[in-house]
Amino acid sequence: MNRDSTLFVQKKPPLLVVEDSNEDFEALQRFLLRSHLKIPIHRCVNGEQALAFLYRKGKYSDRQISPRPGLIVLDLNLPGTDGREVLRQIKQDDHLKTIPVVVFTTSDNPKDIDDCYQYGVNSYIVKPINFEQLKQYVQGLVDYWFEVTTLPDCLED
């Protein structure tokens, strides 16, 4: 079979969701699982866990458990190390800073928005309260980051 008639299926890079709210994560996961795209999803529930995942520390030392994500969806208001600090560390690290980060939070505080863009966030989305709007936002996020955008190569170095 020649290349022109072969169907190539592109594997989507993993998504890391850093979210402490089970309800918010489950809603996000439900929408992602309904998508026609098959995106591997990993979850961390606080900032310390997210940094351990990204730096492969402790229980995340195995690359199978903690693959390099193609995209990070990050809540700001996390217990312990908050999302602002996680974002700051990611964007100051030469190995991690090319991973796109989307802040997905309830905060519409102009200072939070400004600080996140100062740190280098790629997108800032305020979580809607309305379920239908949440569905629309998640679909837009998936469509943009996994279909429209070309993500950086997430292969290991």
Side-chain angles (χ1 to χ4, degrees), residues 48-77:
E48 291 86 3
Q49 218 179 56
L51 292 170
F53 183 98
L54 292 167
Y55 288 107
R56 294 201 179 97
K57 306 274 184 188
K59 71 178 188 178
Y60 297 108
S61 61
D62 183 346
R63 290 175 187 226
Q64 297 297 327
I65 295 170
S66 59
R68 180 179 171 90
L71 178 69
I72 300 169
V73 173
L74 176 66
D75 186 16
L76 284 188
N77 302 312

PDB file of all heavy atoms in Angstrom, residues 48-77:
ATOM      1  N   GLU A  48       1.984  20.529  44.595  1.00  0.00           N
ATOM      2  CA  GLU A  48       3.127  19.654  44.880  1.00  0.00           C
ATOM      3  C   GLU A  48       3.089  18.418  43.987  1.00  0.00           C
ATOM      4  O   GLU A  48       4.101  17.993  43.447  1.00  0.00           O
ATOM      5  CB  GLU A  48       3.144  19.215  46.356  1.00  0.00           C
ATOM      6  CG  GLU A  48       3.452  20.312  47.336  1.00  0.00           C
ATOM      7  CD  GLU A  48       2.227  21.121  47.766  1.00  0.00           C
ATOM      8  OE1 GLU A  48       1.086  20.786  47.345  1.00  0.00           O
ATOM      9  OE2 GLU A  48       2.402  22.100  48.498  1.00  0.00           O
ATOM     10  N   GLN A  49       1.901  17.842  43.843  1.00  0.00           N
ATOM     11  CA  GLN A  49       1.740  16.655  42.991  1.00  0.00           C
ATOM     12  C   GLN A  49       2.061  16.995  41.530  1.00  0.00           C
ATOM     13  O   GLN A  49       2.717  16.218  40.843  1.00  0.00           O
ATOM     14  CB  GLN A  49       0.296  16.160  43.115  1.00  0.00           C
ATOM     15  CG  GLN A  49       0.152  14.677  43.128  1.00  0.00           C
ATOM     16  CD  GLN A  49      -1.302  14.269  43.281  1.00  0.00           C
ATOM     17  OE1 GLN A  49      -2.148  14.679  42.484  1.00  0.00           O
ATOM     18  NE2 GLN A  49      -1.578  13.466  44.288  1.00  0.00           N
ATOM     19  N   ALA A  50       1.597  18.147  41.068  1.00  0.00           N
ATOM     20  CA  ALA A  50       1.855  18.559  39.686  1.00  0.00           C
ATOM     21  C   ALA A  50       3.347  18.715  39.427  1.00  0.00           C
ATOM     22  O   ALA A  50       3.856  18.248  38.396  1.00  0.00           O
ATOM     23  CB  ALA A  50       1.126  19.863  39.374  1.00  0.00           C
ATOM     24  N   LEU A  51       4.048  19.337  40.351  1.00  0.00           N
ATOM     25  CA  LEU A  51       5.493  19.519  40.169  1.00  0.00           C
ATOM     26  C   LEU A  51       6.220  18.175  40.252  1.00  0.00           C
ATOM     27  O   LEU A  51       7.158  17.929  39.480  1.00  0.00           O
ATOM     28  CB  LEU A  51       6.033  20.516  41.192  1.00  0.00           C
ATOM     29  CG  LEU A  51       5.531  21.948  40.974  1.00  0.00           C
ATOM     30  CD1 LEU A  51       5.908  22.837  42.145  1.00  0.00           C
ATOM     31  CD2 LEU A  51       6.036  22.530  39.651  1.00  0.00           C
ATOM     32  N   ALA A  52       5.784  17.282  41.145  1.00  0.00           N
ATOM     33  CA  ALA A  52       6.378  15.942  41.218  1.00  0.00           C
ATOM     34  C   ALA A  52       6.153  15.199  39.903  1.00  0.00           C
ATOM     35  O   ALA A  52       7.052  14.525  39.396  1.00  0.00           O
ATOM     36  CB  ALA A  52       5.787  15.162  42.396  1.00  0.00           C
ATOM     37  N   PHE A  53       4.952  15.328  39.328  1.00  0.00           N
ATOM     38  CA  PHE A  53       4.630  14.705  38.041  1.00  0.00           C
ATOM     39  C   PHE A  53       5.564  15.244  36.953  1.00  0.00           C
ATOM     40  O   PHE A  53       6.161  14.481  36.202  1.00  0.00           O
ATOM     41  CB  PHE A  53       3.170  15.003  37.685  1.00  0.00           C
ATOM     42  CG  PHE A  53       2.688  14.345  36.417  1.00  0.00           C
ATOM     43  CD1 PHE A  53       1.964  13.164  36.474  1.00  0.00           C
ATOM     44  CD2 PHE A  53       2.930  14.914  35.166  1.00  0.00           C
ATOM     45  CE1 PHE A  53       1.496  12.547  35.305  1.00  0.00           C
ATOM     46  CE2 PHE A  53       2.474  14.312  34.006  1.00  0.00           C
ATOM     47  CZ  PHE A  53       1.758  13.124  34.077  1.00  0.00           C
ATOM     48  N   LEU A  54       5.683  16.556  36.877  1.00  0.00           N
ATOM     49  CA  LEU A  54       6.475  17.179  35.813  1.00  0.00           C
ATOM     50  C   LEU A  54       7.972  16.915  35.959  1.00  0.00           C
ATOM     51  O   LEU A  54       8.686  16.790  34.962  1.00  0.00           O
ATOM     52  CB  LEU A  54       6.202  18.686  35.775  1.00  0.00           C
ATOM     53  CG  LEU A  54       4.793  19.044  35.314  1.00  0.00           C
ATOM     54  CD1 LEU A  54       4.496  20.512  35.613  1.00  0.00           C
ATOM     55  CD2 LEU A  54       4.602  18.736  33.848  1.00  0.00           C
ATOM     56  N   TYR A  55       8.456  16.835  37.210  1.00  0.00           N
ATOM     57  CA  TYR A  55       9.881  16.589  37.456  1.00  0.00           C
ATOM     58  C   TYR A  55      10.193  15.117  37.714  1.00  0.00           C
ATOM     59  O   TYR A  55      11.329  14.762  37.998  1.00  0.00           O
ATOM     60  CB  TYR A  55      10.374  17.445  38.619  1.00  0.00           C
ATOM     61  CG  TYR A  55      10.480  18.908  38.251  1.00  0.00           C
ATOM     62  CD1 TYR A  55       9.570  19.832  38.742  1.00  0.00           C
ATOM     63  CD2 TYR A  55      11.479  19.352  37.392  1.00  0.00           C
ATOM     64  CE1 TYR A  55       9.658  21.172  38.402  1.00  0.00           C
ATOM     65  CE2 TYR A  55      11.587  20.683  37.042  1.00  0.00           C
ATOM     66  CZ  TYR A  55      10.670  21.593  37.549  1.00  0.00           C
ATOM     67  OH  TYR A  55      10.768  22.913  37.200  1.00  0.00           O
ATOM     68  N   ARG A  56       9.138  14.269  37.621  1.00  0.00           N
ATOM     69  CA  ARG A  56       9.274  12.815  37.824  1.00  0.00           C
ATOM     70  C   ARG A  56       9.945  12.479  39.147  1.00  0.00           C
ATOM     71  O   ARG A  56      10.962  11.797  39.199  1.00  0.00           O
ATOM     72  CB  ARG A  56      10.015  12.186  36.666  1.00  0.00           C
ATOM     73  CG  ARG A  56       9.237  12.281  35.381  1.00  0.00           C
ATOM     74  CD  ARG A  56       9.700  11.248  34.386  1.00  0.00           C
ATOM     75  NE  ARG A  56       8.925  11.343  33.181  1.00  0.00           N
ATOM     76  CZ  ARG A  56       9.306  12.007  32.091  1.00  0.00           C
ATOM     77  NH1 ARG A  56      10.478  12.591  32.052  1.00  0.00           N
ATOM     78  NH2 ARG A  56       8.522  12.058  31.038  1.00  0.00           N
ATOM     79  N   LYS A  57       9.330  12.946  40.204  1.00  0.00           N
ATOM     80  CA  LYS A  57       9.822  12.688  41.566  1.00  0.00           C
ATOM     81  C   LYS A  57       8.884  11.709  42.264  1.00  0.00           C
ATOM     82  O   LYS A  57       7.687  11.658  41.971  1.00  0.00           O
ATOM     83  CB  LYS A  57       9.860  13.990  42.385  1.00  0.00           C
ATOM     84  CG  LYS A  57      10.639  15.113  41.748  1.00  0.00           C
ATOM     85  CD  LYS A  57      12.075  15.024  42.087  1.00  0.00           C
ATOM     86  CE  LYS A  57      12.775  16.253  41.499  1.00  0.00           C
ATOM     87  NZ  LYS A  57      14.158  16.234  41.588  1.00  0.00           N
ATOM     88  N   GLY A  58       9.426  10.959  43.205  1.00  0.00           N
ATOM     89  CA  GLY A  58       8.622  10.062  44.030  1.00  0.00           C
ATOM     90  C   GLY A  58       7.851   9.052  43.191  1.00  0.00           C
ATOM     91  O   GLY A  58       8.406   8.396  42.318  1.00  0.00           O
ATOM     92  N   LYS A  59       6.537   8.957  43.452  1.00  0.00           N
ATOM     93  CA  LYS A  59       5.723   7.956  42.755  1.00  0.00           C
ATOM     94  C   LYS A  59       5.584   8.240  41.259  1.00  0.00           C
ATOM     95  O   LYS A  59       5.083   7.410  40.515  1.00  0.00           O
ATOM     96  CB  LYS A  59       4.346   7.834  43.404  1.00  0.00           C
ATOM     97  CG  LYS A  59       3.427   9.009  43.192  1.00  0.00           C
ATOM     98  CD  LYS A  59       2.074   8.755  43.844  1.00  0.00           C
ATOM     99  CE  LYS A  59       1.075   9.832  43.493  1.00  0.00           C
ATOM    100  NZ  LYS A  59      -0.238   9.578  44.070  1.00  0.00           N
ATOM    101  N   TYR A  60       6.031   9.406  40.814  1.00  0.00           N
ATOM    102  CA  TYR A  60       5.941   9.774  39.397  1.00  0.00           C
ATOM    103  C   TYR A  60       7.265   9.573  38.643  1.00  0.00           C
ATOM    104  O   TYR A  60       7.437  10.081  37.539  1.00  0.00           O
ATOM    105  CB  TYR A  60       5.505  11.234  39.253  1.00  0.00           C
ATOM    106  CG  TYR A  60       4.129  11.488  39.803  1.00  0.00           C
ATOM    107  CD1 TYR A  60       3.949  12.204  40.979  1.00  0.00           C
ATOM    108  CD2 TYR A  60       2.997  11.003  39.150  1.00  0.00           C
ATOM    109  CE1 TYR A  60       2.673  12.435  41.488  1.00  0.00           C
ATOM    110  CE2 TYR A  60       1.726  11.226  39.652  1.00  0.00           C
ATOM    111  CZ  TYR A  60       1.581  11.943  40.822  1.00  0.00           C
ATOM    112  OH  TYR A  60       0.320  12.168  41.316  1.00  0.00           O
ATOM    113  N   SER A  61       8.194   8.828  39.223  1.00  0.00           N
ATOM    114  CA  SER A  61       9.511   8.671  38.578  1.00  0.00           C
ATOM    115  C   SER A  61       9.466   7.837  37.296  1.00  0.00           C
ATOM    116  O   SER A  61      10.345   7.962  36.445  1.00  0.00           O
ATOM    117  CB  SER A  61      10.513   8.068  39.568  1.00  0.00           C
ATOM    118  OG  SER A  61      10.078   6.802  39.982  1.00  0.00           O
ATOM    119  N   ASP A  62       8.437   7.023  37.121  1.00  0.00           N
ATOM    120  CA  ASP A  62       8.283   6.186  35.927  1.00  0.00           C
ATOM    121  C   ASP A  62       7.635   7.004  34.798  1.00  0.00           C
ATOM    122  O   ASP A  62       6.560   7.567  34.969  1.00  0.00           O
ATOM    123  CB  ASP A  62       7.413   4.973  36.276  1.00  0.00           C
ATOM    124  CG  ASP A  62       7.254   3.998  35.126  1.00  0.00           C
ATOM    125  OD1 ASP A  62       7.575   4.335  33.962  1.00  0.00           O
ATOM    126  OD2 ASP A  62       6.780   2.878  35.392  1.00  0.00           O
ATOM    127  N   ARG A  63       8.278   7.028  33.652  1.00  0.00           N
ATOM    128  CA  ARG A  63       7.766   7.794  32.497  1.00  0.00           C
ATOM    129  C   ARG A  63       6.406   7.300  32.017  1.00  0.00           C
ATOM    130  O   ARG A  63       5.657   8.037  31.391  1.00  0.00           O
ATOM    131  CB  ARG A  63       8.760   7.756  31.342  1.00  0.00           C
ATOM    132  CG  ARG A  63       9.988   8.543  31.624  1.00  0.00           C
ATOM    133  CD  ARG A  63      11.002   8.378  30.505  1.00  0.00           C
ATOM    134  NE  ARG A  63      12.230   9.027  30.931  1.00  0.00           N
ATOM    135  CZ  ARG A  63      12.931   9.822  30.186  1.00  0.00           C
ATOM    136  NH1 ARG A  63      12.562  10.066  28.954  1.00  0.00           N
ATOM    137  NH2 ARG A  63      14.019  10.390  30.644  1.00  0.00           N
ATOM    138  N   GLN A  64       6.083   6.037  32.276  1.00  0.00           N
ATOM    139  CA  GLN A  64       4.768   5.509  31.895  1.00  0.00           C
ATOM    140  C   GLN A  64       3.670   6.153  32.741  1.00  0.00           C
ATOM    141  O   GLN A  64       2.561   6.361  32.270  1.00  0.00           O
ATOM    142  CB  GLN A  64       4.728   3.988  32.071  1.00  0.00           C
ATOM    143  CG  GLN A  64       5.696   3.237  31.196  1.00  0.00           C
ATOM    144  CD  GLN A  64       5.412   3.420  29.711  1.00  0.00           C
ATOM    145  OE1 GLN A  64       4.266   3.552  29.299  1.00  0.00           O
ATOM    146  NE2 GLN A  64       6.455   3.459  28.900  1.00  0.00           N
ATOM    147  N   ILE A  65       3.988   6.441  33.984  1.00  0.00           N
ATOM    148  CA  ILE A  65       3.032   7.048  34.912  1.00  0.00           C
ATOM    149  C   ILE A  65       2.960   8.558  34.696  1.00  0.00           C
ATOM    150  O   ILE A  65       1.909   9.166  34.841  1.00  0.00           O
ATOM    151  CB  ILE A  65       3.426   6.737  36.374  1.00  0.00           C
ATOM    152  CG1 ILE A  65       3.315   5.233  36.623  1.00  0.00           C
ATOM    153  CG2 ILE A  65       2.574   7.525  37.364  1.00  0.00           C
ATOM    154  CD1 ILE A  65       3.906   4.785  37.938  1.00  0.00           C
ATOM    155  N   SER A  66       4.080   9.150  34.344  1.00  0.00           N
ATOM    156  CA  SER A  66       4.136  10.607  34.205  1.00  0.00           C
ATOM    157  C   SER A  66       4.780  11.034  32.880  1.00  0.00           C
ATOM    158  O   SER A  66       5.867  11.592  32.859  1.00  0.00           O
ATOM    159  CB  SER A  66       4.911  11.210  35.379  1.00  0.00           C
ATOM    160  OG  SER A  66       6.225  10.678  35.403  1.00  0.00           O
ATOM    161  N   PRO A  67       4.090  10.777  31.764  1.00  0.00           N
ATOM    162  CA  PRO A  67       4.640  11.207  30.471  1.00  0.00           C
ATOM    163  C   PRO A  67       4.631  12.732  30.379  1.00  0.00           C
ATOM    164  O   PRO A  67       3.832  13.404  31.030  1.00  0.00           O
ATOM    165  CB  PRO A  67       3.676  10.586  29.458  1.00  0.00           C
ATOM    166  CG  PRO A  67       2.384  10.484  30.198  1.00  0.00           C
ATOM    167  CD  PRO A  67       2.759  10.181  31.622  1.00  0.00           C
ATOM    168  N   ARG A  68       5.513  13.247  29.569  1.00  0.00           N
ATOM    169  CA  ARG A  68       5.553  14.698  29.374  1.00  0.00           C
ATOM    170  C   ARG A  68       4.241  15.123  28.708  1.00  0.00           C
ATOM    171  O   ARG A  68       3.891  14.636  27.629  1.00  0.00           O
ATOM    172  CB  ARG A  68       6.732  15.074  28.491  1.00  0.00           C
ATOM    173  CG  ARG A  68       6.844  16.576  28.247  1.00  0.00           C
ATOM    174  CD  ARG A  68       8.060  16.862  27.369  1.00  0.00           C
ATOM    175  NE  ARG A  68       8.095  18.236  26.938  1.00  0.00           N
ATOM    176  CZ  ARG A  68       8.694  19.216  27.601  1.00  0.00           C
ATOM    177  NH1 ARG A  68       9.307  18.954  28.747  1.00  0.00           N
ATOM    178  NH2 ARG A  68       8.692  20.449  27.147  1.00  0.00           N
ATOM    179  N   PRO A  69       3.499  16.035  29.350  1.00  0.00           N
ATOM    180  CA  PRO A  69       2.225  16.452  28.754  1.00  0.00           C
ATOM    181  C   PRO A  69       2.422  17.371  27.554  1.00  0.00           C
ATOM    182  O   PRO A  69       3.408  18.110  27.469  1.00  0.00           O
ATOM    183  CB  PRO A  69       1.521  17.189  29.899  1.00  0.00           C
ATOM    184  CG  PRO A  69       2.603  17.601  30.827  1.00  0.00           C
ATOM    185  CD  PRO A  69       3.740  16.643  30.647  1.00  0.00           C
ATOM    186  N   GLY A  70       1.466  17.312  26.639  1.00  0.00           N
ATOM    187  CA  GLY A  70       1.445  18.235  25.506  1.00  0.00           C
ATOM    188  C   GLY A  70       0.746  19.528  25.881  1.00  0.00           C
ATOM    189  O   GLY A  70       0.923  20.548  25.226  1.00  0.00           O
ATOM    190  N   LEU A  71      -0.063  19.477  26.950  1.00  0.00           N
ATOM    191  CA  LEU A  71      -0.827  20.622  27.427  1.00  0.00           C
ATOM    192  C   LEU A  71      -1.122  20.429  28.901  1.00  0.00           C
ATOM    193  O   LEU A  71      -1.369  19.302  29.343  1.00  0.00           O
ATOM    194  CB  LEU A  71      -2.145  20.750  26.651  1.00  0.00           C
ATOM    195  CG  LEU A  71      -3.101  21.870  27.065  1.00  0.00           C
ATOM    196  CD1 LEU A  71      -2.523  23.245  26.714  1.00  0.00           C
ATOM    197  CD2 LEU A  71      -4.466  21.687  26.395  1.00  0.00           C
ATOM    198  N   ILE A  72      -1.081  21.527  29.653  1.00  0.00           N
ATOM    199  CA  ILE A  72      -1.436  21.507  31.071  1.00  0.00           C
ATOM    200  C   ILE A  72      -2.634  22.424  31.273  1.00  0.00           C
ATOM    201  O   ILE A  72      -2.602  23.590  30.856  1.00  0.00           O
ATOM    202  CB  ILE A  72      -0.266  21.978  31.959  1.00  0.00           C
ATOM    203  CG1 ILE A  72       0.951  21.074  31.766  1.00  0.00           C
ATOM    204  CG2 ILE A  72      -0.699  22.052  33.430  1.00  0.00           C
ATOM    205  CD1 ILE A  72       2.234  21.598  32.398  1.00  0.00           C
ATOM    206  N   VAL A  73      -3.691  21.901  31.895  1.00  0.00           N
ATOM    207  CA  VAL A  73      -4.839  22.709  32.311  1.00  0.00           C
ATOM    208  C   VAL A  73      -4.701  22.851  33.819  1.00  0.00           C
ATOM    209  O   VAL A  73      -4.687  21.854  34.546  1.00  0.00           O
ATOM    210  CB  VAL A  73      -6.181  22.058  31.920  1.00  0.00           C
ATOM    211  CG1 VAL A  73      -7.348  22.839  32.513  1.00  0.00           C
ATOM    212  CG2 VAL A  73      -6.311  21.993  30.397  1.00  0.00           C
ATOM    213  N   LEU A  74      -4.565  24.092  34.282  1.00  0.00           N
ATOM    214  CA  LEU A  74      -4.159  24.374  35.653  1.00  0.00           C
ATOM    215  C   LEU A  74      -5.164  25.257  36.382  1.00  0.00           C
ATOM    216  O   LEU A  74      -5.478  26.364  35.918  1.00  0.00           O
ATOM    217  CB  LEU A  74      -2.793  25.073  35.605  1.00  0.00           C
ATOM    218  CG  LEU A  74      -2.159  25.567  36.889  1.00  0.00           C
ATOM    219  CD1 LEU A  74      -1.787  24.389  37.791  1.00  0.00           C
ATOM    220  CD2 LEU A  74      -0.917  26.397  36.555  1.00  0.00           C
ATOM    221  N   ASP A  75      -5.648  24.770  37.514  1.00  0.00           N
ATOM    222  CA  ASP A  75      -6.472  25.597  38.392  1.00  0.00           C
ATOM    223  C   ASP A  75      -5.525  26.473  39.210  1.00  0.00           C
ATOM    224  O   ASP A  75      -4.413  26.053  39.539  1.00  0.00           O
ATOM    225  CB  ASP A  75      -7.310  24.697  39.316  1.00  0.00           C
ATOM    226  CG  ASP A  75      -8.313  25.465  40.160  1.00  0.00           C
ATOM    227  OD1 ASP A  75      -8.598  26.645  39.859  1.00  0.00           O
ATOM    228  OD2 ASP A  75      -8.818  24.890  41.137  1.00  0.00           O
ATOM    229  N   LEU A  76      -5.948  27.684  39.535  1.00  0.00           N
ATOM    230  CA  LEU A  76      -5.098  28.566  40.344  1.00  0.00           C
ATOM    231  C   LEU A  76      -5.229  28.285  41.827  1.00  0.00           C
ATOM    232  O   LEU A  76      -4.252  28.322  42.563  1.00  0.00           O
ATOM    233  CB  LEU A  76      -5.459  30.036  40.107  1.00  0.00           C
ATOM    234  CG  LEU A  76      -4.985  30.683  38.825  1.00  0.00           C
ATOM    235  CD1 LEU A  76      -5.277  32.175  38.871  1.00  0.00           C
ATOM    236  CD2 LEU A  76      -3.521  30.431  38.564  1.00  0.00           C
ATOM    237  N   ASN A  77      -6.439  28.050  42.276  1.00  0.00           N
ATOM    238  CA  ASN A  77      -6.717  27.951  43.708  1.00  0.00           C
ATOM    239  C   ASN A  77      -6.598  26.515  44.183  1.00  0.00           C
ATOM    240  O   ASN A  77      -7.586  25.803  44.321  1.00  0.00           O
ATOM    241  CB  ASN A  77      -8.096  28.540  44.005  1.00  0.00           C
ATOM    242  CG  ASN A  77      -8.170  29.984  43.552  1.00  0.00           C
ATOM    243  OD1 ASN A  77      -7.288  30.785  43.841  1.00  0.00           O
ATOM    244  ND2 ASN A  77      -9.201  30.315  42.802  1.00  0.00           N
TER     245      ASN A  77
END
